[in-house]
Amino acid sequence: MNAQEPKIRVEGLDAWFGPNHAVRDVSIDVQPLSVTAVIGPSGCGKSTFLRCLNRMHELVPGGRATGKVTLDGEDLYDRSVDPVSIRRRVGMVFQRPNPFPTMSISDNVAAGLRLNGWKGDLDEIVERCLRQAALWDEVKDRLHTAATSLSGGQQQRLCIARALAVEPEVLLMDEPASALDPIATARIEELMHELKVRYTIVVVTHNMQQAARVSDQTAFFYMGELVEVGDTETIFTNPREQRTEDYVTGKFG
């Protein structure tokens, strides 16, 4: 990883669901125009950590967080900061594809722009984002059909296109391929490689092979704590912590 200023800096992050202390004193830097994978066993705080990066965690009943998360040096948890504006800059793609079922393919991509009062050429942006999501050639002749007519893998790429339409700087992906078949999974992984030229990506994955394939940096979480973070090759071949080695070699998890 290079030594430039991090795109995201997390310092002393703690997060709770009611009395449940889900993330404990996490500090990590995320470099710009890179893919950071977050790995660890189920229930270790990966997805909670991800949602704290664009303040979606606080939308969960009983959810709260303390600590500091900065985006290009701006404290996202400062009281003067509008959480909605953060979510435009830091987009999210969820585990299961969630296209708006009553909308067409085109309207799904344009939904966020319309919500923000965009007055420009929507057709041009829809095409650009579908191309970025490697979906244009598959849907260009049926843009006005229901989004639910697409396959699962296509729906997930549509959701990525929808997230890109509002021009975020960071893309958070919460196990984006866990519900997909191997061919669709491979396409999502290829897409991550293509998108990191323009976006900073943080991806939670339960699939260690996927983390090894797609990421520049890997963070290992266990029991709500960040055990170790480093460049991906080192994490998988020469980790510092015994718990990391035990997890990546399959001794637990």
Side-chain angles (χ1 to χ4, degrees):
M1 301 298 295
N2 54 36
Q4 62 187 302
E5 283 297 306
K7 184 69 176 177
I8 297 174
R9 171 162 282 168
V10 180
E11 299 175 87
L13 178 68
D14 287 87
W16 291 263
F17 292 103
N20 178 30
H21 197 174
V23 172
R24 300 170 180 268
D25 194 25
V26 169
S27 297
I28 184 174
D29 286 350
V30 175
Q31 297 296 334
L33 305 182
S34 68
V35 178
T36 296
V38 182
I39 63 171
S42 296
C44 69
K46 305 186 299 293
S47 293
T48 301
F49 165 75
L50 196 71
R51 289 194 297 268
C52 288
L53 299 184
N54 70 348
R55 294 186 57 177
M56 288 195 72
H57 174 64
E58 64 196 53
L59 299 177
V60 179
R64 63 187 179 94
T66 62
K68 192 171 185 179
V69 179
T70 59
L71 177 64
D72 290 332
E74 180 183 5
D75 185 356
L76 301 188
Y77 281 83
D78 187 276
R79 290 184 178 181
S80 65
V81 174
D82 176 14
V84 176
S85 70
I86 292 168
R87 293 174 199 134
R88 292 192 194 108
R89 296 175 67 192
V90 185
M92 175 79 87
V93 176
F94 296 94
Q95 182 173 1
R96 292 192 173 274
N98 60 342
F100 301 130
T102 60
M103 291 186 183
S104 69
I105 294 167
S106 177
D107 286 343
N108 258 272
V109 178
L113 291 168
R114 287 199 173 105
L115 191 64
N116 294 332
W118 178 262
K119 302 297 185 186
D121 185 351
L122 285 175
D123 289 342
E124 180 181 335
I125 294 175
V126 166
E127 179 176 347
R128 173 173 55 80
C129 294
L130 287 170
R131 286 187 183 279
Q132 282 184 281
L135 191 58
W136 173 255
D137 289 339
E138 297 168 44
V139 303
K140 62 184 178 183
D141 296 324
R142 49 179 175 142
L143 293 174
H144 302 294
T145 60
T148 50
S149 67
L150 299 175
S151 70
Q154 289 174 324
Q155 287 186 23
Q156 190 65 298
R157 282 183 281 148
L158 177 63
C159 292
I160 292 171
R162 187 175 67 195
L164 297 178
V166 295
E167 298 193 338
E169 301 164 43
V170 178
L171 196 58
L172 309 178
M173 307 179 87
D174 191 359
E175 301 200 19
S178 65
L180 304 181
D181 62 65
I183 294 173
T185 295
R187 193 65 198 93
I188 295 293
E189 291 180 6
E190 291 169 13
L191 192 52
M192 283 190 245
H193 280 294
E194 295 164 9
L195 290 175
K196 77 173 184 178
V197 175
R198 294 186 59 183
Y199 305 95
T200 301
I201 299 172
V202 184
V203 56
V204 165
T205 178
H206 68 288
N207 184 325
M208 285 184 287
Q209 290 76 25
Q210 182 175 83
R213 288 191 296 265
V214 305
S215 68
D216 304 290
Q217 172 178 256
T218 296
F220 170 53
F221 277 65
Y222 183 65
M223 300 290 286
E225 298 179 359
L226 174 60
V227 175
E228 185 170 355
V229 60
D231 71 85
T232 295
E233 184 177 357
T234 299
I235 290 293
F236 281 95
T237 60
N238 189 30
R240 297 188 310 272
E241 298 288 336
Q242 187 63 46
R243 285 179 295 174
T244 309
E245 182 169 345
D246 289 347
Y247 182 71
V248 300
T249 57
K251 291 182 180 176
F252 74 94

